[in-house]
Amino acid sequence: MINYSYTILIPLIPLVIFVFTGLLGMKWKPLVSGIIGTVGVGISFFLSLFTAYEYFFATATGSAYHTIIPVNMLWLSFTHTLQIHMGVLLDPISVMMIVVVTTISFMAHLYSIGYMKGERGFQRYYSFLSLFTFSMLGVVLATNIFQIYIFWELVGASSFLLIGFYYDKPSAVAAAKKAFIVTRFADLGFLIGILILSYYTGTFDFSKLLQPGTHLFAGLAGVSFLGLSGITWAMALIFMGAAGKSAMFPLHIWLPDAMEGPTPVSALIHAATMVVAGVFLVARLFPIYHFQAPDVLIFIGYVGGFTSLIAAIIAMTQFDIKRVLAYSTLSQIGYMMVALGVSGYGGEAGLGYMASMFHLFTHAMFKALLFLGAGSIIHTIHSNFMKDMGGLRKYMPITHFTFLAACLAISGIPPFAGFFSKDEILAAAFESNKLLFYVEYITAGLTSFYIFRLYFNIFWGKDPEYKHKPHEAPLNMTIPLIFLGLGSTFGGFVPFHKLVTSDMKPFTTVTHWGIMLPSVGIGLLGLAVAWVLYKKENDLPDKISKKLGILYTSTYHKFYIDEIYLFVTKKIIFNYIARPIAWFDHNIVDGFMIGVGTVTVKISYKIKKFQSGELQQYAFVFVAGVIMLALFILYSLGYH
């Protein structure tokens, strides 16, 4: 039996680096913090690869994988059954996730040495980056749901620090606050769901909660509220936290604004950490959703389907390249949620679960590559907008070819990675829910169109008048691009159906030709339309946008969802709820307490004369008191 206790080092190394560089980083040259952070996360990366090899291949029996808890320490004890532990849980999904997190984090750390060179706060940046990595590793290795919640909030704090890294830039500060506040509302639901679940089951531990035949949920069977069972409420509220973190509609508004942070941070948030945390949470609790709250699982599928479609539509009209990629992430995360929502449990019935995790893995590669490629472009052009770009394939060949590989992968063109995982999702949806299947089919075509619209505008078209001749990024930035390019090209050949499944047992997949061939066709159709409209400069896009009129305008303005939020919060909540509450608090609550204090002061001022220190006054008060007491006694006895 292999001793996996070393796995505690995987999250602890980034934690030590965070503390070390945070406290001492300003005493060194900036590059030292970057090297220490990169080497440390690199060690965690190689430990994760070694763990994956040991878990999936060195000890595999061919029949099923087992849950291993090499480290588990008691942290808080409420009763003899309700206790909170801190530890490390290894199973197929957590082992896969530590590989994803450390891979993308290592690439982002290495890339940032070149991208962030000369930036004020370089040491602070690397300290926060290590904290972010530690936080996400704590989420995916958690042995219980409360440990997830603790690190979940730490992920939120880390993202706040990194999105608002340029704290002297008002838009970055606003974006950080927006992300923090929106996800905090969602996390309140998450916390309430955890408390309901743990109150009736008497445990936080996954080893007990995730057993398919467990009787722990019997106490929730007879509990209902507003026509829904207690377990339905608990799991719906937990999904609220997942929806906030994964930016599902209508809690998606924070993610596009999060682009205000440094571009490598965007790669981390979108590819490996914050946004996929919601998908991981639903996947981690999948047995509970499937067996105890199937209605919530169906709801998750529809939320994912709607989010994927609306985000893809919005992405087609954006001109900031990072915002296009942000809405692309929303759409792809929606794909993963759809896959979980249509999945069964065990064997080929669990195809959706496997496909969701497979797409999470491949998406991490090509989305991180797209963001880091965009960072290289911004680094040389000093602009985020397509109008300032064009013809860059001649100046940036490595960025061009790796970016193209990512575009082909996300479009589902074989043999690139996204083709394999996306088709598995479509196959699972076809078997379970035809409506979601057709929604995702349409979304696949839109995805291919908007990503190649981005590609052709950047690398083809007419060269604008560049102030400085564009150039390829330095080696420490192109190496991560090449590595992720290889992952985006060959990552689809990983046999996920034998590694990460809903019941931890391998199963055999079949090729769904009737789904695969049309999906490739619709991807090529989207590519072809983008080719016609954007490969060479022409007036067709402007003509089409003018003909679409209000539809195009609404899409460009993101269907005015942000404006609706501002109207509801500022005009309704602030004016008609917050202001009356503030008036009541200031005038009634504060007024009452101030009045009590004023009366107390005046009374004390009056009676303080009794403590004058004059013996004659004390004697007078004493005698007067005795006389008054005697008169009262006599009056009470009838002598009057």
Side-chain angles (χ1 to χ4, degrees):
M1 184 68 180
I2 297 173
N3 183 359
Y4 288 97
S5 58
Y6 68 87
T7 53
I8 190 66
L9 295 174
I10 296 174
L12 285 184
I13 291 172
L15 174 62
V16 172
I17 293 170
F18 159 66
V19 176
F20 201 57
T21 56
L23 294 177
L24 303 176
M26 294 302 293
K27 297 182 179 180
W28 312 312
K29 292 182 178 180
L31 185 60
V32 175
S33 293
I35 293 172
I36 291 174
T38 303
V39 170
V41 174
I43 295 171
S44 291
F45 166 61
F46 286 109
L47 285 175
S48 298
L49 292 179
F50 179 73
T51 302
Y53 170 77
E54 292 287 320
Y55 184 84
F56 285 122
F57 303 107
T59 60
T61 62
S63 58
Y65 296 102
H66 300 284
T67 298
I68 301 169
I69 303 179
V71 179
N72 205 28
M73 298 170 287
L74 180 63
W75 184 50
L76 291 175
S77 180
F78 299 103
T79 68
H80 69 284
T81 57
L82 193 59
Q83 299 174 333
I84 300 175
H85 290 79
M86 287 287 178
V88 171
L89 184 151
L90 299 178
D91 65 355
I93 184 176
S94 66
V95 173
M96 181 271 293
M97 284 300 297
I98 61 173
V99 171
V100 169
V101 172
T102 56
T103 299
I104 306 305
S105 181
F106 180 45
M107 294 300 111
H109 274 74
L110 179 59
Y111 181 93
S112 296
I113 291 176
Y115 187 85
M116 298 296 289
K117 184 180 180 181
E119 289 278 4
R120 186 162 56 93
F122 187 90
Q123 300 93 327
R124 174 168 53 90
Y125 170 81
Y126 267 93
S127 180
F128 292 164
L129 213 59
S130 297
L131 177 64
F132 205 168
T133 305
F134 163 70
S135 305
M136 191 62 193
L137 288 169
V139 169
V140 301
L141 291 172
T143 61
N144 60 82
I145 195 169
F146 210 90
Q147 182 181 340
I148 280 188
Y149 182 76
I150 293 168
F151 284 96
W152 190 272
E153 295 306 305
L154 198 53
V155 168
S158 305
S159 66
F160 173 80
L161 295 171
L162 284 168
I163 294 169
F165 174 76
Y166 299 116
Y167 58 83
D168 55 352
K169 186 178 176 184
S171 58
V173 174
K177 290 191 292 184
K178 188 176 184 179
F180 193 77
I181 292 169
V182 171
T183 53
R184 291 296 71 69
F185 275 111
D187 292 352
L188 175 61
F190 184 18
L191 178 60
I192 295 171
I194 290 174
L195 296 177
I196 294 172
L197 188 68
S198 61
Y199 177 80
Y200 286 100
T201 60
T203 185
F204 295 110
D205 292 343
F206 292 135
S207 59
K208 299 175 182 177
L209 289 172
L210 301 183
Q211 296 298 323
T214 183
H215 299 289
L216 290 173
F217 302 98
L220 278 163
V223 179
S224 64
F225 179 68
L226 297 178
L228 298 176
S229 67
I231 187 63
T232 299
W233 276 109
M235 300 314 294
L237 287 166
I238 289 173
F239 173 66
M240 180 179 172
K245 199 70 82 182
S246 285
M248 293 289 96
F249 181 88
L251 300 173
H252 67 286
I253 58 170
W254 66 268
L255 189 60
D257 290 4
M259 299 301 97
E260 293 291 341
T263 302
V265 172
S266 302
L268 263 180
I269 290 175
H270 288 257
T273 53
M274 189 170 179
V275 181
V276 298
V279 178
F280 170 79
L281 179 63
V282 176
R284 168 58 75 207
L285 300 176
F286 184 76
I288 304 177
Y289 279 109
H290 178 75
F291 291 107
Q292 309 297 336
D295 292 344
V296 179
L297 197 60
I298 294 171
F299 174 72
I300 290 171
Y302 281 110
V303 170
F306 184 78
T307 303
S308 67
L309 180 60
I310 194 172
I313 292 171
I314 294 172
M316 294 192 298
T317 61
Q318 302 303 300
F319 292 95
D320 182 326
I321 63 174
K322 288 178 69 176
R323 285 186 178 270
V324 173
L325 296 179
Y327 281 104
S328 171
T329 298
L330 292 176
S331 186
Q332 296 301 304
I333 297 295
Y335 257 104
M336 299 173 206
M337 290 294 190
V338 166
L340 291 170
V342 301
S343 182
Y345 184 86
E348 197 170 350
L351 178 63
Y353 178 96
M354 184 278 292
S356 179
M357 297 299 98
F358 195 8
H359 201 60
L360 189 156
F361 176 81
T362 59
H363 174 262
M365 300 299 167
F366 59 70
K367 185 52 61 67
L369 176 54
L370 286 169
F371 269 108
L372 295 184
S376 294
I377 294 160
I378 294 167
H379 190 260
T380 190
I381 300 299
H382 304 291
S383 173
N384 287 26
F385 293 94
M386 296 181 197
K387 64 181 177 60
D388 300 321
M389 302 171 188
L392 286 177
R393 71 188 188 283
K394 295 177 291 187
Y395 307 104
M396 308 177 71
I398 296 175
T399 302
H400 168 233
F401 284 112
T402 54
F403 200 93
L404 177 59
C407 291
L408 292 167
I410 195 174
S411 300
I413 307 300
F416 294 88
F419 161 74
F420 296 93
S421 55
K422 185 198 72 175
D423 274 17
E424 296 288 16
I425 293 175
L426 291 173
F430 183 81
E431 295 295 329
S432 180
N433 190 312
K434 294 296 192 296
L435 175 60
L436 288 176
F437 167 75
Y438 288 115
V439 166
E440 297 313 310
Y441 235 97
I442 295 168
T443 304
L446 300 180
T447 299
S448 181
F449 171 74
Y450 71 66
I451 205 66
F452 276 97
R453 169 180 174 264
L454 180 68
Y455 166 75
F456 288 125
N457 272 300
I458 294 172
F459 294 103
W460 294 80
K462 183 180 179 181
D463 289 25
E465 295 181 2
Y466 295 116
K467 294 180 180 179
H468 305 284
K469 185 178 179 180
H471 57 83
E472 186 58 89
L475 191 63
N476 53 15
M477 293 172 66
T478 54
I479 287 176
L481 297 182
I482 295 169
F483 181 91
L484 293 170
L486 293 172
S488 300
T489 304
F490 301 108
F493 294 100
V494 176
F496 254 67
H497 59 283
K498 295 181 180 179
L499 303 175
V500 184
T501 60
S502 58
D503 60 353
M504 297 197 291
K505 297 178 182 178
F507 66 89
T508 302
T509 58
V510 296
T511 303
H512 303 82
W513 294 103
I515 296 171
M516 181 188 71
L517 294 177
S519 74
V520 174
I522 198 169
L524 291 173
L525 177 62
L527 190 160
V529 174
W531 176 292
V532 171
L533 295 178
Y534 299 104
K535 185 174 183 291
K536 292 182 179 180
E537 188 177 24
N538 62 78
D539 59 355
L540 275 177
D542 291 334
K543 288 181 178 179
I544 293 171
S545 61
K546 287 178 181 178
K547 285 185 178 181
L548 290 174
I550 191 171
L551 179 60
Y552 176 85
T553 304
S554 299
T555 305
Y556 175 73
H557 289 285
K558 300 162 285 187
F559 297 108
Y560 300 99
I561 295 171
D562 283 81
E563 287 78 4
I564 293 170
Y565 266 99
L566 287 173
F567 175 79
V568 171
T569 52
K570 288 189 173 182
K571 300 296 184 182
I572 298 177
I573 296 177
F574 288 179
N575 286 338
Y576 298 106
I577 298 176
R579 290 186 188 279
I581 291 175
W583 181 90
F584 180 83
D585 179 65
H586 179 71
N587 294 281
I588 305 301
V589 177
D590 288 354
F592 174 76
M593 298 309 297
I594 291 171
V596 169
T598 302
V599 171
T600 303
V601 169
K602 289 182 177 180
I603 293 174
S604 65
Y605 181 78
K606 295 291 184 183
I607 66 175
K608 72 178 182 179
K609 295 178 181 179
F610 288 109
Q611 295 291 332
S612 64
E614 297 179 1
L615 183 60
Q616 297 92 328
Q617 183 183 2
Y618 293 163
F620 172 77
V621 172
F622 175 76
V623 172
V626 170
I627 293 172
M628 290 178 65
L629 183 61
L631 291 173
F632 175 75
I633 293 172
L634 291 173
Y635 182 84
S636 300
L637 295 174
Y639 295 100
H640 51 77

